Amino acid sequence: MIKNWELKIKENKSTLIINDWGVKSDDIIDLARHLVIKFHFDRLYINYENTGKIIHCALKDNDPINKCLTMNCGMKASIIKYRSHNDIDIQFEDGTIIKHRDFRDFCKGKIANPNLSKRKSWEDVRITNIQWDASDDVMAGLPDKVNALDLNINLSQYDTNEDLDYNEDFLYGVSEALSEKYGFCHDGFELEISMGKMESKIVGIINQFGENDFSYWTGFCLNDEEQKQIEEILHRHDTEGCSIRGTRSDISNEIKE
């Protein structure tokens, strides 16, 4: 946090003067970026008085408003409000809005979409109650429930989060695919769409004791009730902080940063 600074604004040149000792360059740039956006500077100069060093800062065309990046969760997000470098609001492409986050976390893709886990996949879509047009002895060998993934349908054309029950193209595709796969016509079917959930378990906990002092605890075994209690606590904070999902190497590299 930089406490002692002043801003000199002139017609042809604006300068940020830093009077604190031993400040971090990242903190100087963050403050300068905030001022550039707040006052709509085309260019801002920084004068670090302790060294007499003058450097150029970000130009106005780097204004982060509407800046769009892909977060680590795989979904694009844009900044919709910038109050300061550590207080921004972003909106994901699915409309989800996350408020009061850090600009640096945004740049690193470290802001998660809490609704992403609620999105349905094709594993959650099943065709049920199929009314086969066949004799009883033949129907005994025909399924009354089929997974959408088992049918020859170009699923990339459709979105599982839309109302597929009213998508005539999708329903026609299912009808044709059923007859093609099993060789019989039918008099109708129903769609069953559930919210699937991939099971996970807590296998380690990281604690921070100081600026560069951490511990990692693993090897414990939680029962179902303990796991549920911890997940409920974490769920209350699902719009805070950040998360990353990937391989063991991905997680390790993220922690190193």
Side-chain angles (χ1 to χ4, degrees), residues 161-202:
N161 291 283
E162 294 180 353
D163 197 342
L164 296 175
D165 282 304
Y166 295 95
N167 189 317
E168 293 184 1
D169 289 339
F170 175 72
L171 296 176
Y172 177 78
V174 170
S175 179
E176 291 294 297
L178 284 172
S179 298
E180 177 185 340
K181 183 177 179 67
Y182 296 100
F184 290 91
C185 296
H186 57 85
D187 295 325
F189 56 85
E190 295 178 2
L191 289 184
E192 178 182 286
I193 304 176
S194 61
M195 288 298 298
K197 181 178 179 182
M198 184 174 290
E199 294 295 328
S200 65
K201 64 178 181 177
I202 299 170

Side-chain angles (χ1 to χ4, degrees), residues 52-69:
K53 182 179 181 181
I54 299 178
I55 60 176
H56 290 87
C57 185
L59 302 181
K60 185 181 174 183
D61 58 12
N62 285 330
D63 190 325
I65 295 298
N66 296 322
K67 182 179 180 68
C68 182
L69 294 175

Side-chain angles (χ1 to χ4, degrees), residues 1-92:
M1 177 76 67
I2 302 175
K3 296 181 179 179
N4 298 315
W5 57 272
E6 58 182 306
L7 181 62
K8 292 186 176 180
I9 302 176
K10 297 182 179 181
E11 184 177 352
N12 297 321
K13 182 178 180 180
S14 299
T15 305
L16 169 63
I17 300 175
I18 306 296
N19 297 316
D20 273 354
W21 287 87
V23 296
K24 297 179 180 179
S25 59
D26 284 349
D27 290 337
I28 296 176
I29 296 300
D30 284 341
L31 174 59
R33 182 184 291 116
H34 169 66
L35 295 173
V36 165
I37 295 166
K38 182 176 181 179
F39 294 103
H40 303 285
F41 292 132
D42 289 325
R43 184 182 297 270
L44 178 65
Y45 292 87
I46 303 174
N47 190 338
Y48 190 8
E49 288 287 352
N50 295 319
T51 62
K53 182 179 181 181
I54 299 178
I55 60 176
H56 290 87
C57 185
L59 302 181
K60 185 181 174 183
D61 58 12
N62 285 330
D63 190 325
I65 295 298
N66 296 322
K67 182 179 180 68
C68 182
L69 294 175
T70 300
M71 299 295 102
N72 293 339
C73 64
M75 185 171 284
K76 292 181 179 179
S78 301
I79 296 176
I80 57 175
K81 196 158 191 177
Y82 186 106
R83 303 177 191 87
S84 68
H85 65 283
N86 57 3
D87 187 6
I88 66 172
D89 296 347
I90 70 167
Q91 183 171 19
F92 283 93

Side-chain angles (χ1 to χ4, degrees), residues 202-223:
I202 299 170
V203 296
I205 297 175
I206 296 177
N207 290 307
Q208 181 175 3
F209 299 94
E211 183 175 351
N212 193 27
D213 184 6
F214 295 85
S215 72
Y216 176 60
W217 178 24
T218 188
F220 52 81
C221 184
L222 300 175
N223 60 38

